[in-house]
């Protein structure tokens, strides 16, 4: 009861109600203006109403036609076009107004120019150390996947001189992170979707404050909406007073716009440019099972030590300087790395909204790995709300004999999203994909393992928000020790998960129809 009341009176609830009220107010203004205009015409020009009314109808149709043609010719996913056409056709001019407000969410020219300048600035500090020919010799056919990623995201340089360690739980990650934070000598950089007051963040914050006093440079980026119900609105000022250089990503402004969808969903820590962590774990107590809202919280992370950390460093500095409207010499942060032939290859990459990154890089990497899979593909994701090309790639892999397994939660954190996740089960199961639900509770890990030879650990969910709207990060690994540990974790996870069947996937028919309709509009949110 106490938790529900806290949510009811939280800033998150206030923000949601504010957006709804502003939207209803704008709709009321549009509808009111139309009715007032028609009433005035009808009252003052009764004899000429027909000459006004029908031209207005014709103009409305023309505006709808132009809007529909604009949707059809825009560079967006086909799945996104259909719901906008439905909205425009069914709601007439009001639908056009909604389309204009919510769909044209490109950054301003100034913002886009600044992003490109900073991106180019980052590239000047990073060079390929492994040639394409060497990667072909080392990775075989998978070298093409590595090269395709590098061409899409130039900071995603492939490195050998990097040790990897996989953590199958938030608790093991947390224990290791505290040790590395204590050892920091030059700087600590953190970028997280959620920071939440509690035992986990409290212990980390204590170290950060102490390190800042010792002269270690501490920087933090956290997402405003992600942390909205966890810390107060001016928390970044509190952290700055403690010596932490803090940036609140994309602060919420009560304006009805789709730009609010652009969230910083990344989760990583960099220590002295030599050590980095990433994975699904935010800085909140549920991630280390100190709170138990959804049963056992299953998460994961990976630790990098060596040259591969450089890509994380450039991702962070690019985002930090973008929001601080500054530019600095990144060389002062890049340490000397010991060159050594690692047991495998790592590539760190970032993804973001399509208007900025031009491609859905996260999904492209998944699809490339699926297309080259021979034996098995194992996936863990808290949400399974996928587009047509991802669904077909999963089905085609299963149909050609690849053992495709996906693990989702048994206990959901968001019931509507969970219902949409389950609505995708039947089509996948019919094609031979094995769907498991993690019975001890909620699985939040975002892992991908292909044939034991290639894998991904990062922040990318199998849903539209992660693949289309959010800023994300991940590590693509080939032949590293972390992959062996990841395989062991998958085997242990399957053992405590429940295999879904066609019968269990066939929910109530009416409910299934409702979900199918809802899925049409899923790409917009």
């Amino acid at each position: 009861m106490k938790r529900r009341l806290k949510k009811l009176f939280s800033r998150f609830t206030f923000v949601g109600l504010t957006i709804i009220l502003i939207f209803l107010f704008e709709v009321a203004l549009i509808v009111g203006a139309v009715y007032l205009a028609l009433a005035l015409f009808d009252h003052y020009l009764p004899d000429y109403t027909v000459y006004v009314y029908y031209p207005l109808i014709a103009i409305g149709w023309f505006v709808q036609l132009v809007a529909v043609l604009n949707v059809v010719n825009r560079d967006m996913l086909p799945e996104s076009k259909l719901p906008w056409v439905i909205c425009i056709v069914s709601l007439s001019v009001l639908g056009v107004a909604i389309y204009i407000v919510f769909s044209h969410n490109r950054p301003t020219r100034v913002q886009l120019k600044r992003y490109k300048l900073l991106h180019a600035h980052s590239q000047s500090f990073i060079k390929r150390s492994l040639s394409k020919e060497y990667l072909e010799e080392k990775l075989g056919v998978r070298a093409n996947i590595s090269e395709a990623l590098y061409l899409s995201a130039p900071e995603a340089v492939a490195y050998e001189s990097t040790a990897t360690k996989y953590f199958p739980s938030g608790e093991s990650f947390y224990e290791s992170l505290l040790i590395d934070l204590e050892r920091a000598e030059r700087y600590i950089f953190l970028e997280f979707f959620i920071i939440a007051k509690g035992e986990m963040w409290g212990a980390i914050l204590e170290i950060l404050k102490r390190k800042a006093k010792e002269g270690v440079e501490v920087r933090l980026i956290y997402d405003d909406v992600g942390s909205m119900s966890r810390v107060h609105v001016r928390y970044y000022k509190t952290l700055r007073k403690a010596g932490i250089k803090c940036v609140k990503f994309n602060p919420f402004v009560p304006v009805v716009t789709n730009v609010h969808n652009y969230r910083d969903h990344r989760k990583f820590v960099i220590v002295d440019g030599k050590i980095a962590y990433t994975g699904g774990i935010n800085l909140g107590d549920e991630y280390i099972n100190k709170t138990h809202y959804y049963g056992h919280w299953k998460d994961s992370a990976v630790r990098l030590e060596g040259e591969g950390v450089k890509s994380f460093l450039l991702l962070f500095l690019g985002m930090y300087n973008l929001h601080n409207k500054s530019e600095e010499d990144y060389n002062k942060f890049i340490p000397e790395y010991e060159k050594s032939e690692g047991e495998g290859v790592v590539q760190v990459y970032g993804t973001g909204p399509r208007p900025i990154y031009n491609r859905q890089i996260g999904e492209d990497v998944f699809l490339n790995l699926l297309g080259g899979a021979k034996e098995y593909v194992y996936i863990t994701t808290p949400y399974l709300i996928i587009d047509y090309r991802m669904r077909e790639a999963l089905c085609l892999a299963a149909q050609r004999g690849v053992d495709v397994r996906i693990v989702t939660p048994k206990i959901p954190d968001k019931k509507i999203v969970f219902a949409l996740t389950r609505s995708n089960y039947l089509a996948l199961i019919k094609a031979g994909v094995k769907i498991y639900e993690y019975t001890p509770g909620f699985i939040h890990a975002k892992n991908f393992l292909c044939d034991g030879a290639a894998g991904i650990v990062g922040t990318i969910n199998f849903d539209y928000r992660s693949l289309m709207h959010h800023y994300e990060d991940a590590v693509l690994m080939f032949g590293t020790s972390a992959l062996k540990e990841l395989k062991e974790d998958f085997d242990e996870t399957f053992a405590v998960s429940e295999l879904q069947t066609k019968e269990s996937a066939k929910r109530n028919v009416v409910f299934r129809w409702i979900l199918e309709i809802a899925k049409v509009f899923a790409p917009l949110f």
Side-chain angles (χ1 to χ4, degrees), residues 290-460:
K290 291 297 180 180
T291 53
H292 303 274
Y293 299 137
Y294 313 105
H296 181 266
W297 190 288
K298 166 71 175 164
D299 225 315
S300 66
V302 66
R303 179 185 186 270
L304 305 186
E305 183 172 5
E307 200 172 7
V309 177
K310 189 188 296 183
S311 293
F312 270 126
L313 183 59
L314 296 182
L315 281 176
F316 178 87
L317 292 172
M319 186 71 80
Y320 184 84
N321 285 282
L322 179 68
H323 284 270
N324 268 0
K325 298 181 180 179
S326 59
E327 190 172 308
E328 55 191 336
D329 181 7
Y330 296 169
N331 276 323
K332 64 182 180 182
F333 299 107
I334 300 174
E336 290 292 327
Y337 297 104
E338 294 182 6
K339 297 292 182 181
S340 63
E341 286 192 11
E343 59 189 284
V345 173
V346 302
Q347 276 184 279
V348 174
Y349 61 100
T351 74
R354 187 165 180 170
I356 291 177
Y357 273 74
N358 297 321
R359 292 200 60 83
Q360 290 169 230
I361 297 172
E363 187 171 20
D364 289 346
V365 178
F366 289 141
L367 292 173
N368 281 331
L369 287 171
L370 275 168
K374 295 179 180 179
E375 299 176 21
Y376 66 82
V377 170
Y378 297 160
I379 299 166
T380 57
T381 178
Y383 317 115
L384 186 64
I385 307 173
I386 50 179
D387 62 20
Y388 178 79
R389 66 175 186 155
M390 178 62 77
R391 190 184 74 180
E392 289 305 294
L394 290 165
C395 292
L396 286 171
Q399 288 169 349
R400 69 171 188 269
V402 177
D403 181 11
V404 181
R405 304 185 189 185
I406 304 174
V407 185
T408 63
K410 181 70 173 181
I411 302 175
D413 66 334
K414 303 176 183 70
K415 291 184 179 180
I416 295 176
V417 176
F418 185 55
L420 287 170
T421 290
R422 280 184 160 179
S423 71
N424 284 292
Y425 286 3
L426 189 58
L428 294 170
I429 291 172
K430 284 181 177 179
V433 177
K434 298 172 184 175
I435 308 288
Y436 292 80
E437 287 187 348
Y438 180 69
T439 54
F442 183 70
I443 189 163
H444 191 253
K446 302 97 165 50
N447 298 331
F448 188 107
L449 182 62
C450 177
D451 297 339
I456 299 169
V457 177
T459 69
I460 307 171

Side-chain angles (χ1 to χ4, degrees), residues 32 41 68 139-140 152 170 175 212 217 226 253-254 260 285 293 298-299 397 435 438 473 478 482 494 500:
F41 279 125
V68 169
L139 306 179
S152 298
E175 183 180 343
E217 184 171 3
V253 179
H260 293 314
D285 284 353
Y293 299 137
K298 166 71 175 164
D299 225 315
I435 308 288
Y438 180 69
D473 75 84
F478 301 97
F494 293 139
Q500 302 299 292

Side-chain angles (χ1 to χ4, degrees), residues 151-380:
L151 293 175
S152 298
E155 77 276 356
V157 173
Y159 292 105
E160 266 189 323
S161 305
T162 307
T164 61
K165 170 66 179 173
Y166 174 75
F167 298 96
S169 68
E171 293 88 327
S172 58
F173 153 82
Y174 177 52
E175 183 180 343
S176 178
L177 176 63
L178 292 180
I179 294 171
D180 283 328
L181 290 176
E182 290 283 8
R183 292 173 178 170
E185 297 176 350
R186 294 181 58 206
Y187 59 81
I188 300 170
F189 296 159
L190 307 95
E191 186 170 342
F192 280 88
F193 181 57
I194 294 173
I195 57 172
K197 290 183 178 180
E199 183 176 327
M200 183 184 190
W201 173 237
I204 292 172
L205 181 59
E206 191 62 36
I207 297 174
L208 298 181
K209 288 179 178 179
R210 179 160 31 86
K211 285 293 179 179
K213 288 180 180 178
E214 294 172 3
V216 174
E217 184 171 3
V218 181
R219 298 184 183 183
L220 168 67
I221 302 172
Y222 72 89
D223 188 85
D224 185 34
V225 171
S227 303
M228 187 172 285
S229 60
R230 314 299 187 96
V231 295
H232 60 78
V233 66
R234 290 177 294 278
Y235 190 61
Y236 66 99
K237 293 184 178 180
T238 302
L239 295 178
R240 287 175 183 173
K241 289 178 181 177
I244 298 170
K245 297 178 180 179
C246 187
V247 170
K248 184 167 69 169
F249 179 86
N250 194 7
F252 173 78
V253 179
V255 175
V256 180
T257 171
N258 207 28
V259 174
H260 293 314
N261 270 343
Y262 292 171
R263 307 316 321 170
D264 187 355
H265 197 245
R266 294 172 180 173
K267 308 168 185 70
F268 61 81
V269 181
I270 306 166
V271 179
D272 294 339
K274 297 179 180 179
I275 295 170
Y277 291 83
T278 193
I281 303 166
N282 283 296
L283 304 183
D285 284 353
E286 62 265 44
Y287 298 90
I288 56 172
N289 285 288
K290 291 297 180 180
T291 53
H292 303 274
Y293 299 137
Y294 313 105
H296 181 266
W297 190 288
K298 166 71 175 164
D299 225 315
S300 66
V302 66
R303 179 185 186 270
L304 305 186
E305 183 172 5
E307 200 172 7
V309 177
K310 189 188 296 183
S311 293
F312 270 126
L313 183 59
L314 296 182
L315 281 176
F316 178 87
L317 292 172
M319 186 71 80
Y320 184 84
N321 285 282
L322 179 68
H323 284 270
N324 268 0
K325 298 181 180 179
S326 59
E327 190 172 308
E328 55 191 336
D329 181 7
Y330 296 169
N331 276 323
K332 64 182 180 182
F333 299 107
I334 300 174
E336 290 292 327
Y337 297 104
E338 294 182 6
K339 297 292 182 181
S340 63
E341 286 192 11
E343 59 189 284
V345 173
V346 302
Q347 276 184 279
V348 174
Y349 61 100
T351 74
R354 187 165 180 170
I356 291 177
Y357 273 74
N358 297 321
R359 292 200 60 83
Q360 290 169 230
I361 297 172
E363 187 171 20
D364 289 346
V365 178
F366 289 141
L367 292 173
N368 281 331
L369 287 171
L370 275 168
K374 295 179 180 179
E375 299 176 21
Y376 66 82
V377 170
Y378 297 160
I379 299 166
T380 57

